[in-house]
Amino acid sequence: MLKPAKNQGTSVKQPHALSQWIKDHGLLLVNVGLFAVFFGGMVLSGAANYSEEQQTHGGSPVGVLEYLTTGHFVEAVFENWESEFLQMAMYVVLTVFLFQKGSSESKPMGKKAPQDEDPRDAKQTAKTPWPVRRGGWILKVYEHSLSGLLALLFLASFTMHAIGGTAAYNEEQLSHGLAEVSTWEYMASSQFWFESFQNWQSEFLAVAVLVGASVYLRERGSPESKPVAEPHYETGA
């Protein structure tokens, strides 16, 4: 009779701490990396474009660092950030109250979702977030902190768009021998609102397409999609 093999003392190799950390934060890291790449591309191409415009009007080209201080750069950055944060803030808030039957982007219909549970009734452990354990006004702020942060980022971006846009607008005014305007006057102009609305409309169109398309279309493996074999009328995760 064959004897069972002895345990040779081998052990499963544990993943390196750094590798595990990267795996745990892969989605965030890749998005931050893509942001850095595209932001760098925007800075370089924006500086080149701005320099070309300057030379066309008899001015001198500018370096990349100098370009970062121009209204052209500030307006271009925050005009886009403004629309992104508005979209996300509105989406977070709207999905609290509104539903879309069959969409993976909606909470389930006809039953309570885990997100609706009152944290005051939850069983607390050492892993429970500190604001929940603390309670009171701190918990009140914490349970709306996601939409609050996005709203603050929108307002900050909206303000910087106005400031940078005013600087860029006044530069254009001076090049044509016209008077400068204040930030409030610029914000009352059709140009400021055109810059805002042209971005806002595209953001909400993209959300509408995602919400509607996720009823009938699938992406296997993505949490933004329902399971491939799930019926169209099933709503939420």
Side-chain angles (χ1 to χ4, degrees):
M1 178 184 292
L2 294 175
K3 294 182 179 180
K6 292 183 179 180
N7 189 342
Q8 300 298 316
T10 58
S11 59
V12 178
K13 187 176 180 180
Q14 296 297 318
H16 190 275
L18 178 59
S19 300
Q20 185 62 49
W21 186 86
I22 292 174
K23 180 179 180 181
D24 291 345
H25 301 86
L27 184 58
L28 175 62
L29 292 173
V30 168
N31 276 280
V32 170
L34 289 172
F35 162 75
V37 170
F38 295 140
F39 187 78
M42 188 202 78
V43 170
L44 295 176
S45 58
N49 176 254
Y50 183 76
S51 291
E52 290 172 5
E53 290 181 356
Q54 290 294 97
Q55 291 175 303
T56 299
H57 292 90
S60 303
V62 301
V64 172
L65 293 180
E66 186 180 355
Y67 173 65
L68 298 179
T69 65
T70 64
H72 185 278
F73 169 75
V74 174
E75 186 274 330
V77 170
F78 290 101
E79 175 190 332
N80 284 279
W81 288 12
E82 161 198 311
S83 61
E84 300 295 339
F85 291 128
L86 174 64
Q87 175 217 63
M88 290 188 288
M90 290 294 294
Y91 188 57
V92 167
V93 173
L94 290 175
T95 52
V96 174
F97 307 102
L98 303 179
F99 301 86
Q100 176 57 53
K101 185 174 177 62
S103 176
S104 62
E105 297 299 308
S106 170
K107 290 188 296 184
M109 303 181 72
K111 60 181 179 180
K112 269 212 164 190
Q115 296 90 338
D116 294 326
E117 295 174 359
D118 191 333
R120 295 160 188 80
D121 300 330
K123 182 180 179 181
Q124 297 185 11
T125 68
K127 295 181 180 179
T128 302
W130 175 79
V132 178
R133 288 184 277 120
R134 180 66 175 80
W137 69 268
I138 293 178
L139 174 55
K140 192 67 177 178
V141 172
Y142 182 67
E143 62 186 352
H144 300 291
S145 55
L146 179 57
S147 60
L149 172 63
L150 294 172
L152 286 175
L153 289 171
F154 162 71
L155 291 174
S157 299
F158 185 82
T159 301
M160 291 303 297
H161 169 202
I163 294 172
T166 301
Y169 185 80
N170 282 334
E171 189 176 319
E172 187 73 17
Q173 288 287 93
L174 292 174
S175 69
H176 291 89
L178 301 174
E180 294 182 309
V181 301
S182 68
T183 300
W184 290 112
E185 289 173 321
Y186 175 66
M187 291 179 69
S189 70
S190 58
Q191 179 169 326
F192 174 76
W193 290 105
F194 173 71
E195 291 167 352
S196 294
F197 288 138
Q198 70 172 332
N199 286 287
W200 296 359
Q201 57 85 22
S202 63
E203 298 299 337
F204 288 99
L205 173 63
V207 170
V209 170
L210 179 61
V211 169
S214 67
V215 176
Y216 304 103
L217 305 180
R218 309 285 189 269
E219 185 58 45
R220 184 178 177 186
S222 174
E224 297 304 310
S225 167
K226 294 186 294 187
V228 177
E230 193 165 276
H232 296 326
Y233 57 79
E234 288 292 337
T235 308

